[in-house]
Amino acid sequence: MEEQKNVRRRGDDLLESLYEVTMKLMEEIKPTNITFQQIAEAAKTSRSVLYRRWPTTFDLLQDIYTYKAQRLFDGDFLDEMKDTGSLRGDFIQFLNFYQQMYKEIGAEVLNNYFYLRMQDKENNKEPVVHTAALDKYIRAMETILEKAQSRGEEVKKVSKATLMLPFDMIRMENLVRPDNISNKRLESMVDEVLLPVFKV
Amino acid sequence: MEEQKNVRRRGDDLLESLYEVTMKLMEEIKPTNITFQQIAEAAKTSRSVLYRRWPTTFDLLQDIYTYKAQRLFDGDFLDEMKDTGSLRGDFIQFLNFYQQMYKEIGAEVLNNYFYLRMQDKENNKEPVVHTAALDKYIRAMETILEKAQSRGEEVKKVSKATLMLPFDMIRMENLVRPDNISNKRLESMVDEVLLPVFKV
DNA sequence: TGCATTAGGATACAATTTGTATCTTATTAA
DNA sequence: TTAATAAGATACAAATTGTATCCTAATGCA
């Protein structure tokens, strides 16, 4: 017997509320063990609402993290990049932007997003968010390297996979050593890795 | 009404069977949606057996992937490393070993392992596997670099975090671009990244 | 303003799953 | 050989699932 549910919301309001409630529930209950029943109760809505949208909790989780990641990548933080006058400075700024991005939405969101995407590879859902973010990233990297060139700092020609190195490194740090990302660490990533790799 | 279950196994036999069955089930059913009922039936055993060991499916999954990762890192593949005569050759051999490791057990195992560890960070379980593997790795890297030194190939002094780069890169490749790891890619990782980073 | 459409919410129901408890019995170790 | 151990069967109430049907508030369009 489901009690009176009095809040009545529609569309995005409802959706965001469901996302929030689910995220909050996951602070106590592990994603593997969460149920639609619990979510419906906590969100003060009916299970029908959930089943109309998602066949299983897994699909709900996928949507949650895709939504969060989308908002993240849609941000225009890269537009705010300035020419710092040196490749080193540009790299540090670049890493700082991405690190900021991880901090704002939380490393867990991004890590979960990437993980759930991977679990679903057989379904081959369109990785819209992912590719959009990658395009943005690649363009930013190319700009940085071109500016260095025109500034007189000679730059190496690298493969596309290697061009992903800064992005990969930030991701790895947030996945494996999330508590350990200081400004000093970002600088050492630039001085010990990025500059030797990209600068002649 | 549970039907007659005739297979009777104990200890590790039983445990490994449960792991295998669960892994196999997960090829069809997402980890979030799997049930003890299904596992017990597929494994031809009783739910009691499962509940005695794990309170929830999440805990079972954690044990599965920890076990798999453990077996992986326990391997003595690093002992088989030869002196190839050059830092470049040693790096390529080194990456090849780790890549082999990922292939044998499957990249998904390690990815799941890291994911479940992340989800459990508040519990702060001892990351036994992780640190043991790291020690092994660090020692191998130091050996490689020392050999290069004594060979006359000058080597840079880097931070401990940067010393993780080869390991991180293999992990990242398997996480993000698992279908794309050719010998050629491994060589480009050495030529475009590792040598510029570690060699003077 | 009024009316049709849309979508949230309540309820019901059978089937499945959960968590726990109790009992039997094959296997192990002493 | 016997006692301890652990696997397996069964039962049961509570919770969850998946689906279907009905009601009604909000929306949009004429």
Side-chain angles (χ1 to χ4, degrees):
Chain A
M1 175 171 47
E2 237 146 313
E3 294 124 30
Q4 292 181 359
K5 305 289 167 54
N6 22 23
V7 200
R8 184 146 188 162
R9 294 146 300 182
R10 280 204 164 198
D12 289 350
D13 274 357
L14 175 61
L15 201 65
E16 282 179 46
S17 164
L18 294 175
Y19 288 175
E20 284 318 307
V21 162
T22 308
M23 295 277 285
K24 183 149 269 169
L25 271 179
M26 273 192 291
E27 288 169 17
E28 296 171 15
I29 308 165
K30 295 281 156 41
T32 334
N33 306 320
I34 224 160
T35 69
F36 274 153
Q37 194 99 269
Q38 296 166 325
I39 297 170
E41 255 169 63
K44 289 188 197 292
T45 185
S46 212
R47 274 190 311 125
S48 338
V49 172
L50 296 168
Y51 278 106
R52 272 182 205 125
R53 286 175 167 79
W54 307 283
T56 74
T57 53
F58 180 87
D59 302 271
L60 165 57
L61 290 189
Q62 268 200 329
D63 278 9
I64 288 183
Y65 289 114
T66 301
Y67 172 77
K68 299 256 177 198
Q70 189 104 47
R71 281 190 50 197
L72 182 63
F73 290 131
D74 278 353
D76 53 357
F77 60 97
L78 280 183
D79 303 337
E80 293 165 30
M81 282 217 298
K82 296 180 178 70
D83 189 332
T84 65
S86 73
L87 182 57
R88 181 176 188 276
D90 280 2
F91 269 148
I92 291 179
Q93 182 186 222
F94 192 52
L95 291 191
N96 262 308
F97 271 123
Y98 271 101
Q99 185 50 39
Q100 200 55 37
M101 185 175 99
Y102 266 86
K103 267 214 193 107
E104 263 168 37
I105 309 270
E108 242 182 270
V109 168
L110 277 192
N111 289 333
N112 280 320
Y113 166 70
F114 286 122
Y115 171 77
L116 291 171
R117 279 219 48 71
M118 188 199 71
Q119 290 296 70
D120 209 32
K121 65 176 185 304
E122 61 272 12
N123 283 11
N124 226 3
K125 261 194 191 179
E126 264 291 287
V128 189
V129 182
H130 203 188
T131 53
L134 284 199
D135 284 355
K136 214 166 190 174
Y137 167 84
I138 298 264
R139 261 181 284 124
M141 272 297 282
E142 284 170 350
T143 306
I144 289 177
L145 294 175
E146 279 162 22
K147 276 194 302 184
Q149 283 280 20
S150 67
R151 203 187 280 123
E153 298 185 271
E154 224 178 312
V155 153
K156 290 183 198 164
K157 175 95 192 130
V158 300
S159 65
K160 207 180 165 183
T162 298
L163 203 63
M164 296 306 301
L165 189 61
F167 191 65
D168 288 353
M169 287 184 78
I170 289 287
R171 252 168 86 172
M172 212 13 121
E173 291 293 317
N174 280 284
L175 185 64
V176 183
R177 301 172 277 268
D179 308 320
N180 216 11
I181 311 174
S182 58
N183 263 352
K184 209 177 141 197
R185 171 64 189 136
L186 291 186
E187 280 189 36
S188 92
M189 282 168 61
V190 172
D191 291 326
E192 296 185 350
V193 180
L194 299 189
L195 287 179
V197 167
F198 289 101
K199 197 172 174 179
V200 175
Chain B
M1 176 173 43
E2 236 146 315
E3 293 123 32
Q4 292 181 359
K5 306 288 166 57
N6 23 24
V7 201
R8 184 146 187 160
R9 294 146 300 182
R10 279 205 166 201
D12 289 349
D13 274 356
L14 175 61
L15 201 64
E16 282 180 45
S17 163
L18 293 176
Y19 288 175
E20 285 316 308
V21 162
T22 308
M23 296 277 284
K24 184 150 269 169
L25 271 179
M26 272 193 290
E27 288 169 18
E28 297 170 16
I29 307 166
K30 295 281 155 39
T32 334
N33 306 319
I34 224 159
T35 69
F36 274 152
Q37 195 99 270
Q38 295 167 325
I39 297 170
E41 255 169 64
K44 289 187 197 296
T45 186
S46 212
R47 274 189 311 127
S48 336
V49 172
L50 297 168
Y51 279 106
R52 272 183 204 122
R53 285 175 168 79
W54 306 282
T56 74
T57 52
F58 181 88
D59 302 271
L60 164 57
L61 291 188
Q62 269 201 327
D63 279 9
I64 288 183
Y65 289 112
T66 301
Y67 171 78
K68 298 261 174 192
Q70 189 104 45
R71 281 191 52 199
L72 183 64
F73 290 127
D74 278 351
D76 54 357
F77 61 97
L78 281 182
D79 304 337
E80 293 164 29
M81 283 218 297
K82 295 179 179 71
D83 189 332
T84 64
S86 72
L87 182 57
R88 181 176 188 276
D90 281 1
F91 269 149
I92 290 178
Q93 181 187 221
F94 191 53
L95 291 193
N96 262 307
F97 271 123
Y98 272 101
Q99 184 50 37
Q100 200 55 39
M101 182 176 102
Y102 267 88
K103 266 214 193 107
E104 263 168 37
I105 311 267
E108 245 181 89
V109 169
L110 273 197
N111 292 335
N112 280 313
Y113 168 70
F114 282 114
Y115 169 75
L116 293 169
R117 278 216 48 70
M118 189 194 69
Q119 294 295 63
D120 209 32
K121 66 175 186 307
E122 61 273 12
N123 282 11
N124 226 2
K125 261 194 188 177
E126 264 291 286
V128 189
V129 182
H130 203 188
T131 54
L134 285 198
D135 285 355
K136 212 166 191 173
Y137 166 85
I138 298 266
R139 262 180 285 122
M141 271 297 282
E142 284 169 349
T143 306
I144 288 177
L145 293 175
E146 279 161 21
K147 277 194 302 182
Q149 283 278 20
S150 67
R151 204 187 279 122
E153 299 184 271
E154 224 179 313
V155 152
K156 292 182 196 164
K157 175 96 191 127
V158 299
S159 65
K160 207 179 166 184
T162 298
L163 203 63
M164 296 306 301
L165 189 61
F167 192 62
D168 287 353
M169 285 185 79
I170 288 288
R171 266 163 57 175
M172 223 356 133
E173 290 293 317
N174 280 284
L175 187 66
V176 183
R177 303 171 275 269
D179 308 321
N180 215 13
I181 312 175
S182 58
N183 263 353
K184 210 177 138 196
R185 171 66 189 135
L186 290 187
E187 282 189 35
S188 92
M189 283 168 61
V190 172
D191 291 325
E192 295 186 350
V193 180
L194 298 190
L195 287 180
V197 167
F198 290 101
K199 197 171 174 180
V200 174

